[in-house]
Amino acid sequence: MTTVTFLAAPGGVPRGRIRAPGDKSISHRAIMLGSLAEGVTTIDGFLEGEDCLATLRAFRAMGVRIDGPDRGRVTVHGVGLHGLRAPAGPLDMGNSGTSMRLMAGILAGQAFDAVLTGDASLTQRPMRRVTKPLALMGARIDSTEQGTAPLRIHGGQRLVGIDYRLPMASAQVKSCLLLAGLYAEGTTRVTEPAPTRDHTERMLEGFGYPLRREGARVVALTRGGRLTGTTIDVPTDISSAAFFLVGASITPGADLLLEHVGVNPTRTGVIGILQLMGADIELRNRRLAGGEPVADLRVRHAPLRGIRIPETLVPLAIDEFPALFIAAACAEGETVLTGAEELRVKESDRIQVMADGLTALGVVAEPTPDGIVIRGGVLSGGTVDSHGDHRVAMSFAMAAPRAGGPITIRDCANVNTSFPGFVTLARNVGLTIQERTTT
Ligand code: S3P
């Protein structure tokens, strides 16, 4: 097994221009909808990370011809809603919750059986949140006794649309049900407790499938529409840009321009939270790219202060909390997060794993059941364990410029799931970071 360790040293000052890789959520959906469409879909800016490649391979395994990726260009030869074929074996979703949960919705509507599996982290993550509502629609899915993967999804079931109130704010569950809804008799209607990322909705519309949005929290679709191949320009991922927003905000002298970042309002919680803390972030050259809002973000160092994070911003920044905890550790005063229990069931328990890492660096960080309290202060050097969580690894790398000594970050191989080339890009803008690989 390959292990990757990051060695991040103090002294670097992030400066210059940077283009982060493509958006992970949008890249997954582009492969999925492109495969189910009639005709050809051309994707530019596709994220060539392991998570999205797992989705791409799964559709290839179901008979879809997909050319690329070649420098971000992928061409999907859609087979139509009913053109997928039974895969020869289990579909391995690796570390990717998005692949597994969204594909569960698509596979529930197929004529064939399929098995979805994944790595040690993914097979521990809760899947009842999708298998339960899918069963209400008429799907037959076997899971482990704990409700985890592998999931065996039985084909040939008659699905019926439901009116479902999500118990948690989750774009993955919403998207899963909308995708199953493409195959369900009548109308599938989903109500969220709070708005979450709406890339599935935007992209369905981009492929010409009619949707009904009723306010910010309700969406419905009816079987019988068609998806037509299209072109998709994937913006860069604000969740990847977030590491640099934090790294530049906390480092005196920093001045970065992050180019072509997706600023869909269901994703910009990280900007809102950092601005409440006093960050200097400017959105420039706002435009639309393939139905998604995009901007260039200029971020300069600014003294940050601790805040009570508004719960309304939590679903809009759900992947950015590891990075935000580093900002909190460098801020003056206390930062309090509540209403974020979802962080405990991400690629790792991000509340506990981040609290442990911050504590190892001398920061006072107290986990609570649904959040954390972080007292800003001085970071020392030390060793932290990312527990295989890509976002934890990159967050601690960004803390190094403000640390009193080098930070060693263990178990970083999964950075490739969402941000291939992270270390090179970080070095290019002035961070002092090395990667050590042992096999
Ligand atoms: C995602 C939704 C979020 C997010 C994940 C990607 C998506 O998960 O954490 O990284 O692409 O729909 P939840 O919807 O489960 O919160």
Side-chain angles (χ1 to χ4, degrees):
M1 217 183 84
T2 306
T3 62
V4 176
T5 305
F6 287 171
L7 308 164
V13 179
R15 291 185 75 85
R17 283 169 174 265
I18 189 168
R19 195 176 169 113
D23 187 277
K24 183 153 76 75
S25 294
I26 296 175
S27 296
H28 281 299
R29 287 157 171 83
I31 296 287
M32 293 179 188
L33 296 189
S35 296
L36 299 178
E38 290 162 37
V40 174
T41 292
T42 309
I43 309 166
D44 280 304
F46 178 77
L47 171 63
E48 298 182 31
E50 283 306 319
D51 278 12
C52 298
L53 292 173
T55 294
L56 185 153
R57 287 186 204 112
F59 281 91
R60 268 194 192 137
M62 292 189 288
V64 182
R65 186 176 141 210
I66 304 176
D67 306 326
D70 178 14
R71 283 161 293 165
R73 163 68 67 98
V74 176
T75 307
V76 185
H77 301 264
V79 295
L81 280 166
H82 301 283
L84 297 178
R85 293 203 304 265
L91 300 170
D92 186 357
M93 304 290 102
N95 193 242
S96 175
T98 308
S99 309
M100 184 167 288
R101 296 201 178 108
L102 270 59
M103 299 236 351
I106 293 171
L107 291 170
Q110 304 304 315
F112 51 82
D113 289 7
V115 175
L116 291 175
T117 186
D119 71 5
S121 154
L122 185 55
T123 52
Q124 297 291 311
R125 294 179 64 187
M127 291 298 146
R128 279 202 186 107
R129 54 182 60 199
V130 291
T131 57
K132 202 173 134 205
L134 287 173
L136 292 175
M137 294 175 80
R140 262 186 68 213
I141 303 177
D142 307 327
S143 64
T144 67
E145 235 160 62
Q146 294 73 42
T148 52
L151 303 180
R152 171 173 290 279
I153 303 177
H154 298 267
Q157 308 302 307
R158 176 171 158 255
L159 300 190
V160 181
I162 54 171
D163 191 342
Y164 192 68
R165 247 171 212 283
L166 294 190
M168 76 290 287
S170 168
Q172 293 182 350
V173 180
K174 170 179 64 175
S175 302
C176 165
L177 300 182
L178 291 175
L179 292 168
L182 298 172
Y183 297 94
E185 239 172 80
T187 296
T188 300
R189 190 161 172 273
V190 184
T191 304
E192 307 183 84
T196 63
R197 64 191 70 193
D198 65 353
H199 305 302
T200 304
E201 295 92 308
R202 285 175 188 256
M203 205 181 284
L204 280 166
E205 285 171 332
F207 277 87
Y209 203 98
L211 273 187
R212 267 194 325 286
R213 299 204 203 206
E214 301 161 21
R217 296 190 300 112
V218 182
V219 56
L221 63 72
T222 302
R223 188 172 73 178
R226 279 164 54 176
L227 299 166
T228 306
T230 185
T231 55
I232 295 175
D233 174 10
V234 182
T236 72
D237 199 328
I238 190 167
S239 299
S240 297
F243 302 109
F244 293 92
L245 291 178
V246 168
S249 293
I250 64 175
T251 310
D255 186 351
L256 269 184
L257 187 72
L258 298 156
E259 294 173 341
H260 204 65
V261 181
V263 288
N264 179 318
T266 59
R267 296 287 298 281
T268 49
V270 63
I271 297 177
I273 293 169
L274 283 172
Q275 284 175 335
L276 286 175
M277 296 176 82
D280 179 357
I281 301 171
E282 200 188 314
L283 274 71
R284 293 179 165 183
N285 192 14
R286 284 169 174 267
R287 54 211 185 263
L288 270 183
E292 290 280 349
V294 170
D296 302 320
L297 307 184
R298 180 168 186 198
V299 52
R300 280 176 282 191
H301 167 257
L304 301 183
R305 54 184 175 272
I307 58 163
R308 179 170 281 276
I309 297 174
E311 289 195 7
T312 49
L313 291 179
V314 170
L316 312 180
I318 194 66
D319 289 337
E320 287 68 72
F321 284 103
L324 286 167
F325 293 172
I326 299 297
C330 297
E332 196 183 316
E334 207 167 72
T335 294
V336 181
L337 172 67
T338 54
E341 51 276 271
E342 276 296 305
L343 294 182
R344 293 201 177 270
V345 291
K346 293 293 178 189
E347 286 82 328
S348 71
D349 175 344
R350 287 184 174 158
I351 292 175
Q352 192 60 51
V353 169
M354 285 301 300
D356 291 346
L358 288 170
T359 305
L361 301 181
V363 175
V364 179
E366 286 159 14
T368 60
D370 68 339
I372 196 166
V373 180
I374 296 172
R375 201 170 317 140
V378 178
L379 268 82
S380 63
T383 299
V384 299
D385 193 328
S386 83
H387 289 268
D389 188 324
H390 54 136
R391 300 202 196 281
V392 172
M394 290 184 274
S395 297
F396 281 112
M398 283 297 157
R402 275 284 294 266
I407 303 178
T408 301
I409 309 155
R410 293 206 179 115
D411 202 1
C412 298
N414 280 340
V415 165
N416 277 334
T417 61
S418 70
F419 202 147
F422 168 73
V423 168
T424 308
L425 222 60
R427 288 167 67 97
N428 285 351
V429 291
L431 273 97
T432 314
I433 174 168
Q434 286 172 32
E435 189 169 14
R436 199 172 56 206
T437 304
T438 49
T439 41

